[in-house]
Amino acid sequence: MGNSRSGAVSKEILEELKMNTKFSETEIVQWYENFKKQCPTGRITRQEFQSIYSKFFPESDANTYAQHVFRSFDTNDDGTLDFKEYIIALHMTSTGKTTRKLEWAFSLFDVDKNGYITKAEVKEICSAIFKLIPKDDIVCLPEDENTAEKRADKLWRFFEKGDNERVAEGEFIHGVLENV
């Protein structure tokens, strides 16, 4: 109880985050202090995450996409995000290396977490993304990707796979990097 560091980020987590992100010790400590204010339990639930995420898309239905993003960040599958998962996610989606971002993108599409992406999973994520797009903006999309299904079909054709085939993570990353 008398430990003044009881509310501070642990030395182990601090060192791990400094090694695996581009954030400085000062930034990590500041993030932690804000995280603890927002999440006194030290964890963000799926519902809290959806609520936060929805604020970024007030005119859209962000819930489905937020659920997929949450799932991709919840690396230990406990239904919550702890500080470490939160910071790694923040790093990967903002300042991380291209390969790490593609690893995250793959995990977003790998809905069942079996290590492969199927056409059905691509359609599921595209449908969630389309819920984020304001109706007025959908009419401005190219004809071949102005619906979730058309966009999913176009993405799937990119990998030259049949409807019942699947894409592994390495294949996904290589394919995207070769065509950027």
Side-chain angles (χ1 to χ4, degrees), residues 70-87:
F70 182 91
R71 173 194 38 80
S72 73
F73 292 157
D74 183 14
T75 55
N76 64 359
D77 288 326
D78 70 352
T80 65
L81 297 182
D82 62 20
F83 178 70
K84 187 171 116 180
E85 289 169 318
Y86 177 74
I87 291 299

Side-chain angles (χ1 to χ4, degrees), residues 35-43:
F35 182 84
K36 287 298 281 183
K37 283 179 193 164
Q38 297 295 315
C39 307
T41 65
R43 300 200 163 278

Side-chain angles (χ1 to χ4, degrees), residues 1 7 31 68 72 78 93 112 119 127 129 135:
M1 192 88 172
W31 278 108
H68 288 297
S72 73
D78 70 352
T93 57
D112 64 7
K119 187 174 182 180
S127 294
I129 290 170
K135 301 283 184 245

